[in-house]
Amino acid sequence: MAKTSSRDRMNNEINAGSMADIAFLLLIFFLVTTTIVEDKGILVKLPIWSEEEPDITKLKERNVFAVLVNAQNQLLVRGEPMRVEELKDFAKEFIANPTNRPDLSEKPTKAIISLKNDRGTEYGTYLSVYNELKAAYNELWNELAQKKYGRDYSEDMPYAYRKAIREEIPMVLSEAEPTAFGEE
């Protein structure tokens, strides 16, 4: 029988010294190459924070387009029940007031849309109401852009044109604090 030396025996260890380096490099690679998806929501311009008491001025009722959504997802516009599908056209007529009716806004720069929800309002209903109100402004802006500049109102329109249109028809959407569940 031949004698075996320690040198002839198989070594059961694996050299793992470079494994940590490889794992670290892979981690850095994936961190650098991965893009983080941003959640998109409703873009709302908030007022500047102030410690002073707000100036409470009495608005003319004719210039306020009050929209209430209750806990049963029913819509009340200026005291009258309305379907969400009718909201956009009624809001457009209120803002523009093409026939100078005394019960609609004096002019687009004075029109204020007041949106108030109940805490029990479903999020989908809130979004559909908000989208209809925003769509009313988008259509008015588009109509004015066609009339003044002969083109659609869009992001590729020059900034000066968009600014001029928004000065003529500013989007004033006031959202009140939601009421407690089932109050309205």
Side-chain angles (χ1 to χ4, degrees):
M1 264 202 174
K3 197 173 184 183
T4 60
S5 67
S6 62
R7 171 168 38 131
D8 293 335
R9 286 190 217 141
M10 289 189 68
N11 192 356
N12 290 337
E13 290 182 20
I14 298 174
N15 185 6
S18 63
M19 292 292 255
D21 294 338
I22 292 171
F24 185 67
L25 287 172
L26 285 172
L27 179 66
I28 289 174
F29 172 76
F30 287 117
L31 285 174
V32 170
T33 59
T34 303
T35 57
I36 299 173
V37 178
E38 293 181 19
D39 290 335
K40 294 196 177 194
I42 300 172
L43 181 63
V44 177
K45 183 179 177 184
L46 297 174
I48 298 170
W49 174 257
S50 175
E51 293 289 334
E52 299 175 18
E53 284 290 318
D55 180 28
I56 300 173
T57 56
K58 184 72 176 157
L59 299 171
K60 288 185 181 177
E61 192 172 319
R62 104 177 244 187
N63 291 327
V64 179
F65 187 76
V67 180
L68 261 85
V69 185
N70 66 11
Q72 288 78 36
N73 299 312
Q74 296 167 330
L75 195 61
L76 194 66
V77 178
R78 299 189 95 188
E80 299 292 324
M82 183 179 288
R83 292 189 346 227
V84 176
E85 297 81 23
E86 301 168 336
L87 183 61
K88 178 180 67 173
D89 294 330
F90 195 62
K92 275 179 63 177
E93 184 182 9
F94 171 81
I95 296 163
N97 194 5
T99 57
N100 289 325
R101 287 179 31 194
D103 59 331
L104 302 179
S105 73
E106 294 173 298
K107 55 185 177 179
T109 55
K110 294 194 176 195
I112 298 171
I113 295 182
S114 173
L115 176 60
K116 189 171 185 180
N117 296 293
D118 189 281
R119 292 201 189 277
T121 303
E122 291 177 5
Y123 192 64
T125 304
Y126 167 77
L127 279 179
S128 63
V129 168
Y130 190 90
N131 284 339
E132 290 296 311
L133 294 172
K134 180 81 169 111
Y137 276 106
N138 286 337
E139 285 188 13
L140 286 170
W141 292 335
N142 200 39
E143 289 169 9
L144 186 60
Q146 285 290 342
K147 184 175 158 187
K148 287 181 90 170
Y149 307 113
R151 58 190 292 192
D152 286 338
Y153 181 87
S154 63
E155 290 298 319
D156 62 336
M157 175 180 261
Y159 176 75
Y161 290 177
R162 285 185 286 146
K163 185 178 178 188
I165 289 170
R166 283 185 172 246
E167 283 175 359
E168 265 188 68
I169 306 174
M171 181 174 167
V172 182
L173 184 83
S174 170
E175 287 192 60
E177 186 70 25
T179 56
F181 186 81
E183 257 185 37
E184 298 219 26

